[in-house]
Amino acid sequence: MIDSVQNSNFDTRFDKKTRSLFKQDNKSKSKKKKMVESDLDQDNLFKKKNKSKVTVNTQDDLVNKIEVPFKSNKLRKKEKVKQKSNINSYDSHITNGLSSGFNTVTDNINKYVLIDSPLSIEELSSKLQIPPAEIIMGLFLQGISVTINQIIDISIATQVAEKYNCIVLNQNHEQESEQSDKLQEISSAANINRAPIVTILGHVDHGKTTLLDAIRNTNFAGNEIGGITQAISVYEVNWLHNLSNKKLIFIDTPGHQAFSTIRLRCAQITDIVILIVAADDDLKPQTIEVIDYILSKKIPCVVAINKIDKVDINLTRLKSQLADYNITSKDWGGKIEFVEISALKKINIDKLLTSICCLADSINLKADPTQLAQGIILEAYVDKTKGIVANMVVLNGTLHIGDVIVSGNSYGRVKKIINSLGNELVEAEPSSNLKVLGFYSMPTVGTYFHVVNNEKEAKKSVARIRSSSITKNTKNLLKSNSKFYNTNTKNLNLIVKADTQGTIDAIINLLMQIPQKKIQLNILTASLGVVSNTDLDLAYSTQGVIIAFNIDISTNILNAAEKLDIPLYKFVLIYDLIDHITNYMLNLIDTEYEKYLIGQAEVQTTFSVNKGTVAGCIVKSGKLKKSAFMHVYRNNHLIYEGVINSLKRMKNDTDEVNVGNECGVLCEAYHLWQPKDSIKAYELHEKPKTL
């Protein structure tokens, strides 16, 4: 550039113009200087007249007194924007450093960013203060194809943040750990004995719901869709023990592998576990999972061996298997009560309930009804007429109508309290199973709730708690499944709608277990309630599939989905949902074929016809078949792959030519035959599709 400038001849007229421009600029500078000097003189006069008065100069006044060269309005605007961005980045740097417990640094090169869970591109963009398009483009150049709403794992988010000189913090602030000690200590002066919470846990089809039917003289098991439990059910039972009525709270849990989150949630709050096993079956994975809960949390337990009325049972073998997992009966020198029952024929049900009452007496459960209510949210859903309904158990204190209740990042004022019998209550004491109306937003299942004095206190409590919404819950469930996205991988976008949050957890758990090497599942939204027009718009714009589980779909929505050609499927059984998604993914996979060699031929000569060039060949081994797949080799190098469109033998069309015979081979897409070319013919057999 220096050489080019030295060798160039500038036009003298242009040089004169530049000189005149410089002169004008100098004039404007001198004018500006005079104006500033006059302003300063006036300011000095003002100070002399007002010596006793205190004068305050604004920032703008101070800036105007500084001697600066003349700048255009555009340049001034650009500088203001630059200053603001620098101030904002500096402020965010300081606040991030203080909130994370780090000392703030004097330079503004790096800033602290907390990334402790998978997050979407949009959320990462707001944290880094970088346009999402820039992040998407950067990942695309690395072979990672993402959208603005797509969730990426911690490693990818960290990689992006470090690229922009951000110091990544990965401290884990899980809300569950924060809330583990939220229950207040019970006052010894006003405490009372409370009813035990008894959770029935075990493998699917081992008789959990049938046992509750036997205890309550009901028939819920016969009315369950597909014969399996798919949600939490809570019941209150009164049993005569030692000449007094003993209240027991029973929780029925799903036994299917998909509902592990629900089972863990119930294990967190239970006082006693009934481990139910079938006498005609071995220990199953879900039974072993329950045993791990019991032993790790040291939960008092009673083992109910069900189906003793059947013929082919082996109780000794079953007890031995349980003993291998440190669940040993008192008969064998252990500390756990084993009760042999038949839920179907109601054998030894009274003995089981007596064992539970004795175990509850030995635990000596206490609660303080004078305290503000505390407990746990077991389930939450949206009712069309009632609004948000929370299924909860009060663990301590008394809940009243009008109480301000807080759970996670949700709060509300209690409008209605409905007990397990469907009766409305004014107040509810400890160990009560309730349906509560009044939350302003959907509470997160599995979180503790507590009553506060007023809404102002509730708002402060919510503001302190980090995000724990259903989106966060979905991210945690998808955490292990987040990975690099290949641009060649096909995607299936899903919009999940369900009746309860527990069901959504179970659906996502099962979706995670589907292999996704060939088809990547993208859960765009997972929410409660009915399918809306917003869901249809999202599905239409993303070519997504709407999955509705155990909810009603209006005729208007069905008609609109049909007009827009949006796949909309409704399910009431979780098995059917997963099977359908698996088959849908299989249909998206391109068909693959297995090639079987059937013959080889060598080109002897070539000649032209109306349709192209024909290769005159002799079959060296096997046979050639019409419509067979072929490879053409020249000097042992593969030069073409295609299909044999026509075979001729003695000028007649034929379907196949066997070894030792001459034939003419025509391929409509290939005409560059040469003598000595080698042909290998294959039969294609379709491979079974796998994920």
Side-chain angles (χ1 to χ4, degrees), residues 209-211 213 218-225 227-229:
T209 306
T210 308
L211 173 60
D213 283 339
T218 54
N219 187 28
F220 279 97
N223 298 327
E224 285 183 329
I225 300 169
I228 63 167
T229 303

Side-chain angles (χ1 to χ4, degrees), residues 425-578:
L425 306 176
V426 177
E427 61 180 31
E429 294 183 346
S431 292
S432 297
N433 163 44
L434 309 170
K435 289 183 179 179
V436 172
L437 282 68
F439 274 101
Y440 300 146
S441 60
M442 185 66 63
T444 305
V445 295
T447 57
Y448 289 102
F449 73 84
H450 61 281
V451 171
V452 294
N453 294 318
N454 49 55
E455 289 201 12
K456 186 178 180 180
E457 191 177 335
K459 289 176 182 178
K460 285 182 180 179
S461 177
V462 168
R464 287 195 302 266
I465 296 172
R466 305 181 67 85
S467 63
S468 61
S469 62
I470 190 168
T471 308
K472 174 78 172 175
N473 195 16
T474 303
K475 288 180 193 176
N476 290 335
L477 290 167
L478 290 173
K479 188 174 182 179
S480 61
N481 201 35
S482 301
K483 53 177 172 277
F484 286 95
Y485 299 103
N486 192 336
T487 53
N488 297 322
T489 303
K490 291 184 177 180
N491 294 330
L492 175 57
N493 295 325
L494 291 180
I495 298 165
V496 180
K497 305 289 290 189
D499 55 342
T500 65
Q501 289 193 34
T503 305
I504 288 177
D505 292 354
I507 291 170
I508 295 175
N509 268 327
L510 279 183
L511 292 175
M512 284 172 55
Q513 297 172 23
I514 300 175
Q516 298 183 37
K517 292 180 180 178
K518 298 178 182 178
I519 305 293
Q520 175 68 48
L521 282 177
N522 296 329
I523 300 177
L524 302 179
T525 59
S527 56
L528 305 179
V530 297
V531 180
S532 64
N533 288 319
T534 305
D535 298 318
L536 293 181
D537 293 340
L538 179 60
Y540 183 74
S541 61
T542 60
Q543 296 182 346
V545 177
I546 300 176
I547 302 298
F549 186 83
N550 209 19
I551 57 174
D552 295 327
I553 303 174
S554 66
T555 307
N556 293 335
I557 292 293
L558 287 172
N559 293 335
E562 189 176 352
K563 284 181 182 178
L564 296 171
D565 197 23
I566 296 171
L568 172 58
Y569 305 102
K570 178 185 175 181
F571 302 94
V572 292
L573 194 60
I574 200 163
Y575 295 119
D576 295 339
L577 186 152
I578 298 303

Side-chain angles (χ1 to χ4, degrees), residues 387-398:
I388 296 172
V389 180
N391 257 1
M392 59 175 64
V393 174
V394 178
L395 299 176
N396 189 36
T398 302

Side-chain angles (χ1 to χ4, degrees), residues 41-58:
D41 292 338
Q42 289 176 4
D43 189 53
N44 290 330
L45 288 170
F46 179 79
K47 283 180 180 177
K48 287 177 182 178
K49 289 180 181 179
N50 301 281
K51 282 183 181 180
S52 60
K53 294 180 182 178
V54 179
T55 59
V56 179
N57 291 326
T58 63

Side-chain angles (χ1 to χ4, degrees), residues 280-454:
D280 62 339
D281 203 354
D282 294 327
L283 292 189
K284 295 295 182 181
Q286 274 65 59
T287 311
I288 297 168
E289 176 193 281
V290 171
I291 291 172
D292 290 339
Y293 290 160
I294 293 168
L295 296 178
S296 63
K297 297 182 179 295
K298 298 179 181 179
I299 306 171
C301 170
V302 174
V303 176
I305 302 177
N306 193 22
K307 303 184 181 181
I308 60 169
D309 55 306
K310 290 199 171 184
V311 179
D312 298 328
I313 62 173
N314 191 338
L315 297 179
T316 305
R317 182 193 64 193
L318 186 60
K319 288 181 179 181
S320 176
Q321 290 176 349
L322 287 166
D324 291 339
Y325 287 92
N326 297 321
I327 301 292
T328 310
S329 68
K330 289 182 177 180
D331 299 340
W332 287 25
K335 297 180 180 179
I336 297 176
E337 186 74 36
F338 278 50
V339 183
E340 299 170 10
I341 65 168
S342 171
L344 195 63
K345 296 189 176 180
K346 299 183 179 180
I347 299 172
N348 290 338
I349 301 299
D350 54 346
K351 188 177 178 181
L352 177 64
L353 292 175
T354 302
S355 298
I356 293 168
C357 291
C358 292
L359 186 57
D361 290 340
S362 65
I363 298 171
N364 193 23
L365 300 168
K366 298 292 183 180
D368 184 356
T370 62
Q371 290 186 357
L372 297 175
Q374 304 160 65
I376 194 166
I377 307 288
L378 289 179
E379 196 56 271
Y381 59 94
V382 179
D383 189 279
K384 287 182 182 178
T385 56
K386 299 175 183 176
I388 296 172
V389 180
N391 257 1
M392 59 175 64
V393 174
V394 178
L395 299 176
N396 189 36
T398 302
L399 185 68
H400 305 84
I401 293 287
D403 281 348
V404 178
I405 188 170
V406 178
S407 175
N409 62 344
S410 304
Y411 76 97
R413 189 177 290 276
V414 178
K415 295 178 181 177
K416 271 188 183 181
I417 303 174
I418 304 170
N419 66 7
S420 58
L421 300 175
N423 300 323
E424 290 191 20
L425 306 176
V426 177
E427 61 180 31
E429 294 183 346
S431 292
S432 297
N433 163 44
L434 309 170
K435 289 183 179 179
V436 172
L437 282 68
F439 274 101
Y440 300 146
S441 60
M442 185 66 63
T444 305
V445 295
T447 57
Y448 289 102
F449 73 84
H450 61 281
V451 171
V452 294
N453 294 318
N454 49 55

Side-chain angles (χ1 to χ4, degrees), residues 12-162:
T12 54
R13 280 177 293 180
F14 176 78
D15 202 18
K16 287 178 181 177
K17 284 183 180 179
T18 54
R19 284 200 207 101
S20 63
L21 285 172
F22 285 133
K23 284 179 181 178
Q24 288 176 6
D25 190 45
N26 288 329
K27 284 179 182 178
S28 63
K29 283 183 181 179
S30 61
K31 284 181 182 178
K32 186 75 177 179
K33 191 173 181 181
K34 286 178 182 177
M35 288 170 67
V36 170
E37 286 173 355
S38 64
D39 288 341
L40 286 170
D41 292 338
Q42 289 176 4
D43 189 53
N44 290 330
L45 288 170
F46 179 79
K47 283 180 180 177
K48 287 177 182 178
K49 289 180 181 179
N50 301 281
K51 282 183 181 180
S52 60
K53 294 180 182 178
V54 179
T55 59
V56 179
N57 291 326
T58 63
Q59 189 175 359
D60 293 335
D61 294 331
L62 293 172
V63 171
N64 289 333
K65 291 176 185 178
I66 297 171
E67 195 172 322
V68 292
F70 176 75
K71 291 179 182 176
S72 65
N73 289 332
K74 287 185 178 180
L75 286 173
R76 286 177 183 171
K77 286 180 181 177
K78 283 183 180 179
E79 284 188 359
K80 282 183 181 179
V81 171
K82 217 174 193 178
Q83 287 171 4
K84 282 182 182 178
S85 63
N86 289 336
I87 290 165
N88 290 336
S89 63
Y90 180 72
D91 288 342
S92 64
H93 169 67
I94 291 172
T95 51
N96 284 330
L98 291 172
S99 63
S100 58
F102 284 77
N103 294 325
T104 55
V105 291
T106 53
D107 59 0
N108 197 26
I109 298 171
N110 298 326
K111 62 180 177 181
Y112 295 104
V113 177
L114 179 65
I115 300 177
D116 58 353
S117 65
L119 71 171
S120 67
I121 295 294
E122 187 176 14
E123 291 169 334
L124 181 62
S125 168
S126 63
K127 281 196 174 195
L128 302 180
Q129 296 180 354
I130 294 164
E134 189 174 335
I135 297 174
I136 292 168
M137 179 58 70
L139 290 174
F140 180 78
L141 294 174
Q142 297 177 36
I144 308 168
S145 178
V146 292
T147 60
I148 192 169
N149 295 319
Q150 200 153 19
I151 295 170
I152 57 174
D153 64 7
I154 297 173
S155 61
I156 301 177
T158 302
Q159 181 184 341
V160 173
E162 288 175 349

